[in-house]
Amino acid sequence: MSTTTPPRQRPDQAARRGRPGAAPAASASAATGRNRQRWLPWIFLAPTILGMGLFTLVPIVASVVLAFFRWDIISAPSFVGFDNFSEVVQDPTVRVSFLNTIVFVVVAVALQLGLALALAVMVQEKMPAWLRVFFRSAFFFPLILSAASVSIFMRYLFNEQFGVVNWFLSLVGIPAVPWLTTPGGSAAVVVLVYVWQNFGFSFLLFIGGLASIPVETYEAASIDGATGWRKHLHVTLPLLSPTTLVASVMAIINALQVFDQPYVLTRGGPGDSTRTAVMVIFESAFQRLEFGQASVIGVLLTLIIMAITAAQFRLSKRFVFYQ
Amino acid sequence: MTTSTDHVLAAGHSPKLSQGLPETSPSRRRFSWNFTLRIVLLLVAAALTLGPVLWTLSTSLRSPSESFKLPPSFIPWNPDFASYGEVFQKLNIFLLVLNSALVTGLIAVGQMVSAALAGYAFAHLKFRGRGALFSIVLATMMVPVQVTIVPVFMLIRGMGLSDTLLALILPAIPTAFGTFLMRQYFMGLPAELAEAASIDGASPWRTFRSIYAPLAMPGMAIVGILAFNYHWNEFFRPLILTISEQNFTLPLGLVSLQGNLGTGSISVVLAGVVLSMIPALVVFMFGQRALQDGLTAGTGK
């Protein structure tokens, strides 16, 4: 660091002027101090900046470059131009997986936000404090579990013959649903398990948003004769729009990256019915060793995420109602 | 049901409440119905949320032959811990826990230290390009881990670290979100502290180490708890970056255990799942507030 390499002439100068020279010593330390001050921020930043450069920025550039090469790690990479792009776009598995991902995002995010908003509004109204704490903790709880282990026990719950879900359905006279052996059933299970685990996050955001709505707004609304549903429709929803925007963008970005649940629950099957974009990245890179194609899919996914984030900024300027 | 009467009783007995809200008393009956319905709906939601976890716990305590039985018995009257013993035989669970703890612990500590350092620099130190650099750091949050995984995998191979725990630890230490969180935290601490310290002759480094870092401990705890929760449960990166079973982390080991056993003995697999939840539960109990604050930080709330 800077302290170990002070300017060369300083010690000599100090020595020439004699040991007990207080003034030169002070000036030397002031000089190294200034020097250190210039370097200090970079010392603080070094672990983060070097790490990010090496493990995020370089890989991003490498991903883009790799998208134009054919490489299986074993033989040397060969430049193929846009071949990977056209192959990826024409690959039926990739198409299905992107379509699956979009359908998944739409359904899962709608369910997640709807459920979270309804529960947040209900929890926020008058009730004993301990009960509110209980509900909040209960809805928050699945967030701390690993998606892999959640998917493990959910696979048993949704088993066709001995699963508890079908047992409950049989109580109300619904015949056994082949959850994990039919395309529709598998897709439904992946959505349900995902929403089960993640709605708590949107719930927390909505709780925060609701808490920031001033009580006076509701008082004014009730003086104007608004009750129940109308109150929520005309007061809560508009005032909650900034939170809703943030919650939906975060939910969409997370849902676009879904992997653990379909991988453990269904391995993408039956057929390609639950194969998602990230699963195809994983499979084309680490099972088929087509790193170039995997990079193309990754780049496409990043572009989608960046577009959504950019849209968030624009939308928040135009449509969000700030108090 | 009892909860709703408790609530009404409490409101009736509390002079402050009934004084403060006089207009609610005429409509109490209607309100009470509304309240009951609301609580019932919330209880159903809570049962659906916690139910699967409780079923997991209770099934892990049943003997393998009983685990298929329907109707399911939710309360394990005769708990059978044999499945837990079997997990230890079928799975080198000590090694998995050790690996997970090592990986998660080192990532958490690494993130706390590196994020505190960088957050302090971005909040209180002046240098050229500070704003631009901070924007770049924030922008990396948008890049999903799946996109960089192929080059990271190659980089790890190139560094000779493939199939080691370091392959999981090193790339996870630089944290954009943690840096952002710590910058916010340090911005909340007054800059006058640094001025006072420098008048007293403290070096900038000492000012950070003895004044700002101790004050920022709660923020660092949030970074650590978030890192712990995320990486303890992480599946995607370990699936790709580790190959041999001796380097597996818990989620990976559990999924492989499930695959090896098929649907043969649910209770053994579920016993493993329950064991893997314990550390997460401990963090949940002690760090719930911090975890919530951390998850919702930076969302404008």
Side-chain angles (χ1 to χ4, degrees):
Chain A
M1 283 196 272
S2 55
T3 43
T4 56
T5 54
R8 267 278 159 75
Q9 69 275 30
R10 294 267 168 211
D12 307 334
Q13 273 179 351
R16 219 180 297 143
R17 288 187 188 188
R19 257 280 114 205
S27 91
S29 90
T32 50
R34 217 176 300 129
N35 193 25
R36 189 197 286 166
Q37 215 128 39
R38 195 178 304 145
W39 280 103
L40 192 83
W42 299 102
I43 293 163
F44 276 77
L45 290 169
T48 299
I49 298 298
L50 290 180
M52 260 177 206
L54 191 61
F55 292 114
T56 309
L57 297 179
V58 167
I60 290 169
V61 176
S63 250
V64 175
V65 172
L66 212 56
F68 296 94
F69 283 84
R70 194 180 302 284
W71 194 25
D72 57 4
I73 282 197
I74 302 145
S75 47
S78 61
F79 182 78
V80 293
F82 281 92
D83 279 10
N84 284 328
F85 286 86
S86 59
E87 274 166 36
V88 159
V89 171
Q90 281 162 17
D91 186 342
T93 308
V94 175
R95 283 191 192 181
V96 169
S97 73
F98 268 84
L99 194 69
N100 286 342
T101 308
I102 291 166
V103 173
F104 171 82
V105 168
V106 171
V107 177
V109 170
L111 274 176
Q112 179 180 333
L113 292 182
L115 195 65
L117 178 60
L119 293 173
V121 167
M122 288 198 277
V123 164
Q124 221 36 17
E125 293 207 6
K126 218 165 149 190
M127 72 171 68
W130 64 269
L131 204 55
R132 181 171 294 140
V133 170
F134 166 73
F135 286 133
R136 278 191 193 189
S137 315
F139 301 149
F140 177 73
F141 183 74
L143 283 174
I144 65 157
L145 305 177
S146 85
S149 52
V150 163
S151 303
I152 289 173
F153 65 70
M154 287 292 191
R155 241 175 81 118
Y156 295 122
L157 284 166
F158 281 100
N159 185 288
E160 189 179 345
Q161 282 98 42
F162 57 83
V164 175
V165 174
N166 274 350
W167 179 76
F168 269 115
L169 291 179
S170 74
L171 293 184
V172 284
I174 298 172
V177 179
W179 289 109
L180 291 163
T181 49
T182 56
S186 304
V189 171
V190 172
V191 168
L192 287 173
V193 171
Y194 182 88
V195 171
W196 179 85
Q197 184 159 27
N198 289 288
F199 80 92
F201 181 62
S202 311
F203 170 82
L204 285 183
L205 294 183
F206 281 130
I207 288 282
L210 286 168
S212 71
I213 298 177
V215 190
E216 296 83 42
T217 325
Y218 286 107
E219 284 166 6
S222 64
I223 289 168
D224 289 344
T227 51
W229 279 107
R230 293 178 59 86
K231 208 169 65 180
H232 289 306
L233 212 61
H234 297 296
V235 179
T236 311
L237 284 185
L239 288 178
L240 214 53
S241 56
T243 313
T244 312
L245 181 71
V246 171
S248 58
V249 170
M250 295 189 94
I252 290 169
I253 291 175
N254 277 330
L256 277 169
Q257 299 169 42
V258 63
F259 174 83
D260 298 4
Q261 289 91 348
Y263 183 83
V264 179
L265 283 164
T266 63
R267 294 282 152 111
D272 283 337
S273 59
T274 53
R275 208 168 298 281
T276 64
V278 172
M279 276 183 89
V280 178
I281 297 180
F282 170 75
E283 287 166 353
S284 51
F286 301 104
Q287 287 175 359
R288 292 200 306 274
L289 298 181
E290 288 171 350
F291 287 94
Q293 292 195 7
S295 296
V296 170
I297 304 167
V299 168
L300 290 178
L301 193 67
T302 313
L303 289 177
I304 296 175
I305 289 175
M306 283 167 72
I308 291 172
T309 314
Q312 175 194 19
F313 281 110
R314 304 206 74 180
L315 281 171
S316 64
K317 280 187 193 133
R318 257 192 240 169
F319 297 111
V320 175
F321 181 87
Y322 288 104
Q323 298 159 42
Chain B
M1 294 316 187
T2 49
T3 53
S4 88
T5 47
D6 282 353
H7 169 74
V8 172
L9 278 176
H13 281 299
S14 157
K16 263 190 223 149
L17 256 178
S18 45
Q19 255 171 20
L21 301 161
E23 67 270 291
T24 58
S25 19
S27 59
R28 178 164 291 167
R29 190 169 293 270
R30 193 182 53 77
F31 174 74
S32 174
W33 264 108
N34 196 348
F35 177 83
T36 312
L37 180 68
R38 196 154 52 80
I39 297 297
V40 168
L41 282 176
L42 283 168
L43 282 174
V44 169
L48 287 176
T49 312
L50 298 179
V53 181
L54 295 176
W55 173 84
T56 303
L57 181 64
S58 87
T59 306
S60 73
L61 292 171
R62 273 180 270 159
S63 64
S65 60
E66 260 184 284
S67 53
F68 290 99
K69 241 208 223 148
L70 289 175
S73 51
F74 284 97
I75 301 157
W77 294 114
N78 306 306
D80 176 359
F81 290 93
S83 301
Y84 285 84
E86 211 172 320
V87 175
F88 286 89
Q89 284 173 9
K90 292 255 156 67
L91 206 60
N92 198 342
I93 201 140
F94 285 117
L95 190 66
L96 290 176
V97 169
L98 190 73
N99 284 348
S100 270
L102 217 66
V103 168
T104 314
L106 287 176
I107 291 175
V109 171
Q111 282 200 2
M112 284 162 78
V113 173
S114 67
L117 288 170
Y120 180 74
F122 281 124
H124 287 303
L125 300 180
K126 288 190 180 67
F127 56 94
R128 272 170 64 116
R130 183 168 78 163
L133 199 59
F134 188 63
S135 307
I136 294 174
V137 169
L138 286 191
T140 61
M141 272 201 277
M142 262 199 293
V143 182
V145 60
Q146 297 88 4
V147 175
T148 52
I149 193 72
V150 170
V152 164
F153 176 77
M154 289 164 183
L155 214 68
I156 292 290
R157 263 174 65 104
M159 294 164 81
L161 292 176
S162 51
D163 197 22
T164 64
L165 294 181
L166 268 179
L168 293 176
I169 297 166
L170 286 181
I173 287 178
T175 160
F177 188 67
T179 304
F180 167 75
L181 220 97
M182 288 315 295
R183 175 181 172 264
Q184 299 296 100
Y185 204 90
F186 280 116
M187 300 247 278
L189 300 176
E192 286 80 36
L193 290 176
E195 284 162 25
S198 83
I199 289 167
D200 288 347
S203 69
W205 172 253
R206 202 188 142 91
T207 307
F208 170 76
R209 217 196 46 202
S210 329
I211 299 176
Y212 281 96
L215 285 173
M217 274 302 174
M220 287 168 75
I222 292 182
V223 173
I225 288 171
L226 277 179
F228 182 91
N229 189 52
Y230 184 83
H231 290 285
W232 183 265
N233 294 328
E234 201 182 12
F235 181 69
F236 185 73
R237 285 191 326 125
L239 179 69
I240 288 163
L241 297 174
T242 63
I243 298 153
S244 45
E245 278 189 36
Q246 78 212 34
N247 291 322
F248 277 8
T249 52
L250 258 172
L252 220 55
L254 291 175
V255 171
S256 77
L257 175 69
Q258 185 206 26
N260 293 344
L261 293 176
T263 48
S265 45
I266 302 179
S267 44
V268 178
V269 178
L270 294 183
V273 167
V274 171
L275 287 175
S276 80
M277 283 178 191
I278 292 171
L281 255 171
V282 172
V283 170
F284 176 71
M285 284 195 289
F286 290 104
Q288 194 190 3
R289 194 73 246 174
L291 202 53
Q292 284 186 20
D293 291 348
L295 285 175
T296 53
T299 55
K301 286 298 117 204

